[in-house]
Amino acid sequence: MERDSRFSGTERGLLQTIMIALFAALSYLALIVFRIPYPAPVGKPFLHFGNMIVIVAALLIGGWQGGLSGSVGMGLYDITNGYGFSSIKTVILKFEIGYFTGVIARRGRKNPEKSPQKGLAAASLISLILGLVILIGKLLGWSGFVKISPVAFIFLLSLGALLGLLVLLSSKLKFLTNEVLFAALGAFAGIVWNVFGEFTGGTIMKLIEGAQWQAAMIASFMSLPATLINGAFSIAGALLIYVPLKQALIRARLDHMLVK
């Protein structure tokens, strides 16, 4: 958060700590309130709202602040629910979701004249390609793809279409400002990094268990659908929450809580 003349340094620090703690608690509760286990060769993944909370936090109070809230809240959940070594991965990856989301979103706030349309178009294409690969793999019966839930390609194709629609409508709808588009791009970047981290971490875990490189990578890849579904939902959900929530805070004269 940037300097606000209405508050002393101690008051600003306390306010920031309170907001981080609040979002940490929300991300922890998000894993308790809604969680659907997803069978996978690596770990015990499940569908949840946690990543969405981290993204919203990063967009509202700042990248490292949102990332820290996710690391604390979701990391604590893993530690207290028997996830052992993978809790370290959670702490690292959730911080990075928030950090990368915040860094890119900040460009939209600081440079309102710059357009992220090319980046969003690329993000849309990546999501559509991933969704199509999973869909084709299931239809053709490729090894490992048959067991992947249809929800994975449905979410990815829907996310790709949504990001593409944002690009197409950005010149026609006033509320789709560059700040909002950068927020979408930041959320996508944070989730992409999380997917990469989950894949890398899953591969390392299988190697530690004694699997060969190829087998470890395949097993880790087959465990990614839950991460992809969570990511697609988190991006769409966070954007739907972020814009009206920010406006509500501004109308309530609580804009000093927001990152500048």
Side-chain angles (χ1 to χ4, degrees):
M1 296 180 182
E2 292 192 350
R3 185 178 181 84
D4 191 324
S5 59
R6 291 174 290 179
F7 299 93
S8 67
T10 301
E11 290 171 331
R12 286 193 300 274
L14 178 60
L15 177 61
Q16 187 174 80
T17 301
I18 291 172
M19 293 302 295
I20 292 172
L22 173 63
F23 279 108
L26 288 174
S27 65
Y28 180 89
L29 289 174
L31 302 184
I32 297 177
V33 173
F34 177 85
R35 59 191 303 272
I36 300 177
Y38 190 101
V42 181
K44 298 180 287 185
F46 55 90
L47 309 183
H48 58 81
F49 292 155
N51 292 339
M52 182 179 70
I53 300 298
V54 177
I55 293 173
V56 172
L59 294 175
L60 289 176
I61 64 174
W64 72 261
Q65 295 92 333
L68 180 58
S69 68
S71 290
V72 173
M74 298 175 73
L76 182 61
Y77 177 88
D78 277 11
I79 292 172
T80 57
N81 284 272
Y83 281 83
F85 177 76
S86 65
S87 61
I88 299 175
K89 179 182 65 177
T90 295
V91 169
I92 296 173
L93 293 183
K94 303 320 169 186
F95 180 83
E96 290 170 342
I97 289 178
Y99 179 77
F100 285 110
T101 297
V103 166
I104 294 178
R106 187 172 185 272
R107 293 193 62 185
R109 292 190 297 272
K110 296 298 183 181
N111 304 283
E113 75 286 351
K114 289 188 177 181
S115 173
Q117 290 187 349
K118 291 183 179 179
L120 278 177
S124 173
L125 184 60
I126 291 171
S127 187
L128 289 172
I129 290 175
L130 286 174
L132 286 173
V133 167
I134 295 175
L135 174 59
I136 293 172
K138 286 185 67 65
L139 292 176
L140 297 181
W142 293 349
S143 177
F145 281 78
V146 177
K147 295 182 179 180
I148 295 178
S149 170
V151 178
F153 68 78
I154 291 173
F155 267 93
L156 286 169
L157 292 176
S158 298
L159 175 62
L162 173 63
L163 294 176
L165 191 62
L166 286 178
V167 174
L168 293 175
L169 296 180
S170 60
S171 60
K172 301 181 182 298
L173 300 178
K174 292 183 178 180
F175 72 88
L176 289 178
T177 61
N178 282 344
E179 178 183 345
V180 174
L181 296 180
F182 267 109
L185 184 59
F188 183 84
I191 290 300
V192 167
W193 187 260
N194 183 62
V195 171
F196 174 77
E198 290 287 356
F199 172 74
T200 304
T203 301
I204 293 174
M205 287 180 66
K206 295 301 290 185
L207 289 172
I208 292 175
E209 293 174 3
Q212 297 297 316
W213 266 105
Q214 184 176 5
M217 293 179 68
I218 292 175
S220 184
F221 178 76
M222 291 299 108
S223 300
L224 286 182
T227 303
L228 294 174
I229 295 171
N230 279 329
F233 178 80
S234 297
I235 294 170
L239 291 177
L240 289 174
I241 295 173
Y242 162 64
V243 176
L245 183 56
K246 179 179 180 180
Q247 292 304 316
L249 290 172
I250 292 175
R251 288 194 298 270
R253 298 183 179 180
L254 297 174
D255 51 296
H256 55 278
M257 299 168 59
L258 304 172
V259 65
K260 303 300 183 181

